[in-house]
Short mmCIF file of all heavy atoms in Angstrom, two decimals:
data_model
loop_
_atom_site.label_atom_id
_atom_site.label_comp_id
_atom_site.label_asym_id
_atom_site.label_seq_id
_atom_site.Cartn_x
_atom_site.Cartn_y
_atom_site.Cartn_z
N GLY X 161 -38.92 19.17 69.15
CA GLY X 161 -39.36 20.52 68.80
C GLY X 161 -38.30 21.56 69.09
O GLY X 161 -38.11 22.51 68.31
N GLY X 162 -37.58 21.39 70.19
CA GLY X 162 -36.50 22.32 70.52
C GLY X 162 -35.36 22.24 69.52
O GLY X 162 -34.81 23.27 69.12
N GLY X 165 -36.66 23.87 66.25
CA GLY X 165 -36.84 25.31 66.39
C GLY X 165 -35.56 26.06 66.70
O GLY X 165 -35.45 27.25 66.41
N PHE X 166 -34.59 25.38 67.29
CA PHE X 166 -33.36 26.05 67.70
C PHE X 166 -32.57 26.58 66.52
O PHE X 166 -31.77 27.49 66.65
CB PHE X 166 -32.50 25.08 68.53
CG PHE X 166 -31.35 25.75 69.22
CD1 PHE X 166 -31.59 26.66 70.25
CD2 PHE X 166 -30.05 25.48 68.86
CE1 PHE X 166 -30.53 27.28 70.89
CE2 PHE X 166 -28.99 26.10 69.50
CZ PHE X 166 -29.23 27.01 70.52
N ARG X 167 -32.80 26.04 65.32
CA ARG X 167 -32.11 26.54 64.13
C ARG X 167 -32.48 28.00 63.85
O ARG X 167 -31.72 28.72 63.24
CB ARG X 167 -32.46 25.68 62.91
CG ARG X 167 -31.96 24.25 63.04
CD ARG X 167 -32.22 23.47 61.81
NE ARG X 167 -33.67 23.42 61.53
CZ ARG X 167 -34.19 22.84 60.48
NH1 ARG X 167 -33.41 22.25 59.60
NH2 ARG X 167 -35.49 22.82 60.30
N ALA X 168 -33.68 28.40 64.30
CA ALA X 168 -34.12 29.78 64.08
C ALA X 168 -33.85 30.67 65.28
O ALA X 168 -34.24 31.83 65.27
CB ALA X 168 -35.62 29.79 63.75
N GLY X 169 -33.25 30.15 66.33
CA GLY X 169 -32.93 30.96 67.50
C GLY X 169 -33.44 30.32 68.78
O GLY X 169 -34.18 29.33 68.77
N LEU X 170 -33.03 30.92 69.90
CA LEU X 170 -33.38 30.37 71.21
C LEU X 170 -34.88 30.45 71.48
O LEU X 170 -35.49 29.49 71.97
CB LEU X 170 -32.60 31.11 72.30
CG LEU X 170 -32.82 30.62 73.73
CD1 LEU X 170 -32.37 29.17 73.85
CD2 LEU X 170 -32.08 31.49 74.71
N LYS X 171 -35.48 31.59 71.14
CA LYS X 171 -36.91 31.76 71.39
C LYS X 171 -37.72 30.75 70.57
O LYS X 171 -38.65 30.13 71.09
CB LYS X 171 -37.33 33.18 71.03
CG LYS X 171 -38.77 33.49 71.33
CD LYS X 171 -39.09 34.94 71.00
CE LYS X 171 -40.55 35.23 71.26
NZ LYS X 171 -40.91 36.61 70.92
N ALA X 172 -37.35 30.55 69.32
CA ALA X 172 -38.04 29.57 68.48
C ALA X 172 -37.84 28.16 69.02
O ALA X 172 -38.74 27.32 68.95
CB ALA X 172 -37.55 29.67 67.04
N GLY X 173 -36.66 27.89 69.57
CA GLY X 173 -36.40 26.58 70.16
C GLY X 173 -37.28 26.31 71.36
O GLY X 173 -37.80 25.21 71.54
N VAL X 174 -37.44 27.33 72.22
CA VAL X 174 -38.30 27.18 73.40
C VAL X 174 -39.76 26.99 72.99
O VAL X 174 -40.48 26.14 73.53
CB VAL X 174 -38.13 28.39 74.34
CG1 VAL X 174 -39.16 28.38 75.45
CG2 VAL X 174 -36.73 28.41 74.93
N ILE X 175 -40.20 27.77 72.01
CA ILE X 175 -41.58 27.65 71.53
C ILE X 175 -41.79 26.28 70.86
O ILE X 175 -42.82 25.63 71.07
CB ILE X 175 -41.93 28.80 70.57
CG1 ILE X 175 -41.98 30.12 71.34
CG2 ILE X 175 -43.24 28.55 69.84
CD1 ILE X 175 -42.11 31.35 70.47
N GLY X 176 -40.81 25.84 70.08
CA GLY X 176 -40.90 24.52 69.46
C GLY X 176 -40.94 23.41 70.49
O GLY X 176 -41.70 22.45 70.35
N CYS X 177 -40.14 23.54 71.53
CA CYS X 177 -40.13 22.56 72.62
C CYS X 177 -41.50 22.47 73.26
O CYS X 177 -42.07 21.39 73.43
CB CYS X 177 -39.07 22.93 73.63
SG CYS X 177 -39.11 21.95 75.14
N GLY X 178 -42.06 23.63 73.63
CA GLY X 178 -43.37 23.64 74.28
C GLY X 178 -44.48 23.15 73.35
O GLY X 178 -45.36 22.39 73.77
#
Side-chain angles (χ1 to χ4, degrees):
F166 191 67
R167 295 184 300 177
L170 182 62
K171 184 178 178 182
V174 171
I175 292 171
C177 171

